[in-house]
Amino acid sequence: MTAEVVVGAPRSLYLHVPFCSRRCPYCDFAIHVGEDQLQERYTKAVLAELSRIATGELELDTVYLGGGTPSRLHPRLLGQLLDAIRAHFAVQPGAEVTVEANPEDVTAELARAWLQAGVNRLSLGVQSLDDRALAWLGRGHDAAQAESAVQVARLAGFENLSCDLIYAVPGQDVGTLERGVRRLMAHGPTHVSCYELTVEQGTPLQRQVRSGRRPAPQVEAFLEQRQMLGEVLGEAGLEMYEVSNYARPGRRSRHNLAYWNGLAYLALGPGAHGFLGAAESAALGLASEGAALRYWHLRDTATYIRDVESGASGWRGHEWLGESDLQMERLACGLRLSHGVRLGSTGQLNRALELAEMGLLVVEGRTARATPRGFEVLDRVTLELVSASTPSGRGQP
Amino acid sequence: MTSSTISRIRNFSIIAHIDHGKSTLADRLLELTGTVSARDMTAQVLDTMDLERERGITIKAQAVRMPYRAQDGHDYELNLIDTPGHVDFAYEVSRALAACEGALLVVDASQGIEAQTLANVYKALELGLEIVPVVNKIDLPQAEPEAVAREIEEVIGIPREQCLMVSARTGAGVDQVLEAIVSALPPPQGEAIAPLRALIFDCKYDAYRGVVVYTRVVDGAIRSGTQIRMMAGQGVFTVDEVGFFRPGMEAVEELGAGEVGYVIASIRNVRDSKVGDTITDAQRPAVSPLPGYRQASPMVWAGLFPIDSDSYQDLKEALERLQLNDAALAFEPETSAALGFGFRCGFLGLLHMEIVQERLEREFNLELITTAPSVAYRVQMRDGTTLEIDNPDQLPDPEHVEWIEEPRVKVELVAPREYLGGLMELCQERRGEFVHLEYQPGDRALLTYDLPLGEIIHDFYDQLKSRSRGYASMDYQLAGYRREQLVKLDILVAGGKIDALSAIVHRQQASNQGRRLVQRLKEVIPRQLFEVALQAAIGGKVIARETVPALRKDVLAKCYGGDITRKRKLLEKQREGKQRMKRVGSVEIPQEAFMAVLSLDR
């Protein structure tokens, strides 16, 4: 038998800031273009939701403002929001407070304002240091702006700095990518997230690929570039700790680790997902129908604002998770981490040993972690282990 | 209608292409004769099974009696017998037609005569039926009734002025059809006082009353209390009830010579009431049975395995239920190393197999893997014994086998002469031997070939249709066994033999077949975490090889707070999909792989 999954009290909070200057063709997030006039009402709505969910003295270790483009939020409003979060929760000393920013928005003045508001980690949407790839991706900045944003942030005092990169962009070869990454690493970011370009359902990019107007990302490019990224980032002292994330020692994203470790987190703002144990759900007035609760907000900003203004939750829906759901999520998320995950049943362990023989996993005791090859096909490896955990009966005539 | 004398009876069937209006015309006839009131008319009274409606084919025959007062002032008894329509059921069709003296040929005035229709007309002509041509849908703007009448004259040889012009939809001309049935079709010939001889043309199982036998009395009479004997089946039963369909069952005192109706006689099993058998009076038996009886035996065999091995018992019960009403369905337990516990089932042909499979899945909610169909071979062993095997995997090691015999069939093809060349070519490709060619009236030719049964079960019929633009019709009968150079083709997946994929093939075709089979399997087996070798082998010697390359990328770039629910739901769905596949060794094989041999292009 497996130990019960412990979700715990939430020690993380995610706030979604939906405003963007443009819709990037590959993006399927909850965002809004050209609705910055909603910023004041949005902020009031979030503050209202905040005071509603802040029940008791919860301690927070991480706060994450994601988007969208949080750097488009007026610094005064951003300050109000962070102040309110500190007023309602016991944000711990040394807590990780991250804001996502687009390079074209970053100025020395703004960076200082963020620091003053209590932000201590910046996640920059660099995406690429190749102008052609940036144009292909439909970004609003060029390579020079990206480099300057990194420099400006560092000079302003952001020591803990993460950069997002997109690779396997059609038309970009591994050499060009490598030169860009090496240039970026010269600026000393402490954390890099590398995502291969993914054609998501319902995005403009998907329509273009389907109609043949744009080439689809290639598996060969993914494999080759992923390997190169691991090597170059490794040389710079960044180690892969999750499928797509690399960090210097001590600079892993504590907030994101909460997701992957199956810990509870609060969420605010349109489209944001939260995850709570049964006790905290009860505190929100929800009668328990499972071991844990996941809830998500209305995606449309105006709708979210109206809903919260009317005194309602701003939620679009929720689901209760049972023990077996939690086990499955814990396995799926845990396998994404370099240190792996503890296996549940003996059936899982046996299947993991088979996968280890194929060079996809390393099994030590009851813990399994993916090999570099295993990470390339991790979702299938996960499926194998998930399927092994259900007993398959053999009927007799 | 017990008063009706034999001269006032007309037994007929309707031959028509799908959508040419057979059902609508039948409905009008029922309405006009007052057999069914317009109010009670549901569309297409005669097709009762959902599956029949969907596929537009009739599987079971139906019979309905209509009373009709003709313009000559006399009362007639009209019996409409509806027939099944596929080569798998060719024998059933021939028996239903044999129960009639005539047929209405219904042709769409805007489409003209279609090939399949012609094939059935040939069959009816062979059995000596009188044909009344009916040009239907004359109310359509694009109707060309005169041209269609001319076509009927040219192709079948019925003078164009004999064509009836009707619209079954509006009812125009339908009264003439009834008159033509009376005036143009001959009454039955039969001896009312001779010993009983009645032809069984179908039967169905009723949960409350046992087997309901559909019959046409040829000589004598049958009434409740009669002790009857099946002349081929030898069973003796006492009649509980006789009657006719209107279209519901209506009991009468007796069915006399020439009449069509049903017999209920506490028969428990449809196997005791074989299509084509002759019913006689056990006390006063006829000297000889009616001609044309053929034992309906399964021609092809395939394994049916539940995907969920826990459903084995459900599958067994479902097969038992279907067998109650399907004399041609046979089954026995089978165990496969790859697929677990299931049943080896015998069918009349592939359509019959598909229908059974579809009904099991639809009516009994079973998920099944069906293996490629095979015929039954005779194996002469070195030790002098003989084996009959219907499962290639049962073929013993070559060292113990003296020789193998394969079943052959006599195939009769009827087609317009211009297609003869293509049809002969097809038969030659399938290792056929020419037997006979005969030119028939009109434009027709009757071509007889001797072919291995195994060569005609897969796609022969489809090929026949495509090479004759649909005009050829086909009938076949088992014609003994012949010693051939046959070998067992084994399929190895990742080095392990998959018993359910073995096939018995002719030595000359083995390497070609093996190559195409592994190519096809490569298309249907999804990529796995490792490279999967697919091999075809004969007696341990590999003759063809393909490789399913390993999966190279399967990982999502992002998995953050909002992605986790989606990820879990996807995993749940994928896990279900995985459970529908069969894991053989470490390889997951989808259902369709086991039927791959059927989708090979020749």
Side-chain angles (χ1 to χ4, degrees), chain A residues 104-392:
Chain A
E104 66 267 36
D105 295 334
V106 178
T107 62
E109 191 189 354
L110 199 52
R112 279 194 297 273
W114 290 334
L115 284 164
Q116 221 147 36
V119 179
N120 55 23
R121 184 172 181 270
L122 201 62
S123 173
L124 271 178
V126 172
Q127 317 308 2
S128 180
L129 282 186
D130 171 22
D131 282 342
R132 278 180 58 202
L134 285 167
W136 201 99
L137 293 168
R139 297 294 301 189
H141 65 274
D142 58 20
Q145 276 174 301
E147 271 189 270
S148 129
V150 179
Q151 282 170 319
V152 166
R154 303 252 8 185
L155 281 172
F158 277 105
E159 190 273 323
N160 195 1
L161 185 71
S162 176
C163 294
D164 282 1
L165 290 178
I166 297 179
Y167 66 102
V169 176
Q172 190 190 42
D173 59 46
V174 67
T176 311
L177 177 67
E178 181 177 346
R179 282 191 296 279
V181 174
R182 287 191 185 279
R183 240 165 55 225
L184 179 67
M185 295 322 291
H187 297 292
T190 50
H191 185 283
V192 175
S193 302
C194 301
Y195 306 116
E196 77 274 14
L197 180 66
T198 305
V199 181
E200 300 285 359
Q201 289 288 320
T203 57
L205 179 63
Q206 191 208 20
R207 287 189 289 279
Q208 289 160 354
V209 168
R210 205 172 39 204
S211 67
R213 278 174 289 155
R214 280 205 198 200
Q218 297 298 303
V219 174
E220 290 74 19
F222 161 78
L223 295 172
E224 181 186 35
Q225 296 180 16
R226 180 179 167 81
Q227 192 187 346
M228 179 278 290
L229 286 166
E231 287 163 14
V232 172
L233 295 175
E235 282 173 33
L238 276 70
E239 189 186 42
M240 188 196 81
Y241 69 100
E242 193 262 358
V243 172
S244 303
N245 286 280
Y246 303 76
R248 284 188 202 284
R251 291 304 186 188
R252 297 180 176 184
S253 165
R254 287 156 61 195
H255 182 84
N256 289 338
L257 280 167
Y259 299 145
W260 300 320
N261 285 323
L263 303 178
Y265 47 93
L266 290 159
L268 293 169
H273 285 59
F275 178 60
L276 297 172
E280 287 71 28
S281 308
L284 288 177
L286 284 152
S288 170
E289 293 166 35
L293 172 84
R294 183 167 287 111
Y295 61 96
W296 48 94
H297 291 80
L298 292 156
R299 267 175 79 99
D300 180 72
T301 304
T303 313
Y304 162 81
I305 291 171
R306 274 197 303 276
D307 198 61
V308 176
E309 282 174 351
S310 75
S313 65
W315 292 7
R316 165 115 209 283
H318 68 269
E319 63 170 354
W320 285 97
L321 294 102
E323 190 63 31
S324 67
D325 298 325
L326 291 175
Q327 303 272 10
M328 191 190 279
E329 289 187 358
R330 195 191 57 120
L331 185 71
C333 292
L335 277 172
R336 294 182 67 89
L337 297 169
S338 58
H339 61 67
V341 69
R342 210 176 140 74
L343 297 169
S345 63
T346 310
Q348 263 178 18
L349 181 63
N350 290 337
R351 186 65 62 89
L353 289 168
E354 287 173 30
L355 294 163
E357 257 176 58
M358 293 181 219
L360 300 167
L361 289 178
V362 174
V363 180
E364 281 161 358
R366 287 192 83 93
T367 299
R369 59 185 163 84
T371 62
R373 163 86 183 118
F375 277 115
E376 292 163 3
V377 289
L378 189 72
D379 289 354
R380 186 68 70 93
V381 170
T382 307
L383 177 61
E384 288 296 322
L385 293 177
V386 160
S387 307
S389 56
T390 46
S392 66

Side-chain angles (χ1 to χ4, degrees), chain B residues 415-466:
Chain B
R417 291 174 195 186
E418 56 178 306
Y419 301 114
L420 274 178
L423 297 184
M424 292 175 88
E425 207 174 78
L426 171 65
C427 292
Q428 299 294 354
E429 285 167 21
R430 304 298 171 97
R431 297 191 282 128
E433 282 170 11
F434 174 82
V435 176
H436 186 63
L437 173 65
E438 182 184 308
Y439 291 103
Q440 295 188 334
D443 185 30
R444 285 176 290 158
L446 169 69
L447 182 62
T448 312
Y449 258 86
D450 183 335
L451 281 148
L453 174 62
E455 293 283 344
I456 68 162
I457 57 170
H458 292 171
D459 61 342
F460 185 83
Y461 187 66
D462 295 337
Q463 280 295 319
L464 181 77
K465 287 290 170 192
S466 84

Side-chain angles (χ1 to χ4, degrees), chain B residues 30-252:
Chain B
L30 293 173
E31 223 176 279
L32 216 62
T33 54
T35 311
V36 178
S37 72
R39 197 170 47 85
D40 294 339
M41 212 72 198
T42 57
Q44 308 189 355
V45 171
L46 291 181
D47 288 345
T48 45
M49 272 200 269
D50 281 353
L51 211 58
E52 296 191 349
R53 266 180 215 182
E54 267 169 50
R55 291 187 166 230
I57 49 168
T58 309
I59 298 163
K60 285 281 192 191
Q62 304 276 336
V64 60
R65 180 186 289 191
M66 298 175 279
Y68 176 60
R69 175 163 294 174
Q71 283 165 11
D72 63 11
H74 293 297
D75 286 326
Y76 288 85
E77 173 189 317
L78 312 184
N79 291 303
L80 165 59
I81 298 174
D82 196 20
T83 59
H86 186 276
V87 65
D88 281 7
F89 305 100
Y91 180 64
E92 284 74 2
V93 178
S94 79
R95 292 307 86 196
L97 290 175
C100 301
E101 281 75 43
L104 302 179
L105 164 64
V106 178
V107 183
D108 188 318
S110 65
Q111 307 280 324
I113 191 158
E114 304 267 357
Q116 181 64 48
T117 316
L118 200 55
N120 285 328
V121 171
Y122 292 158
K123 194 166 284 173
L125 288 172
E126 260 173 62
L127 287 160
L129 269 62
E130 196 65 42
I131 307 283
V132 171
V134 177
V135 179
N136 188 26
K137 305 196 189 180
I138 55 166
D139 57 317
L140 290 182
Q142 66 273 33
E144 289 185 79
E146 296 309 323
V148 171
R150 203 162 50 241
E151 190 190 1
I152 290 172
E153 177 176 309
E154 282 162 16
V155 180
I156 307 169
I158 300 172
R160 67 186 80 171
E161 48 291 353
Q162 286 181 20
C163 283
L164 302 175
M165 300 296 172
V166 313
S167 165
R169 197 178 62 84
T170 66
V174 178
D175 49 345
Q176 295 171 50
V177 175
L178 286 166
E179 277 302 310
I181 291 167
V182 167
S183 60
L185 301 186
Q189 305 286 316
E191 295 292 334
I193 52 162
L196 172 66
R197 288 203 299 176
L199 172 70
I200 300 176
F201 63 85
D202 204 353
C203 66
K204 70 169 184 198
Y205 182 81
D206 181 286
Y208 300 104
R209 316 204 61 183
V211 175
V212 179
V213 181
Y214 290 52
T215 189
R216 152 74 196 275
V217 181
V218 176
D219 296 322
I222 185 166
R223 59 184 67 82
S224 84
T226 307
Q227 202 182 36
I228 54 170
R229 177 191 294 278
M230 305 299 182
M231 293 185 79
Q234 289 298 313
V236 176
F237 306 93
T238 303
V239 175
D240 299 326
E241 182 181 314
V242 298
F244 59 86
F245 300 95
R246 198 188 164 89
M249 292 200 283
E250 282 194 26
V252 289

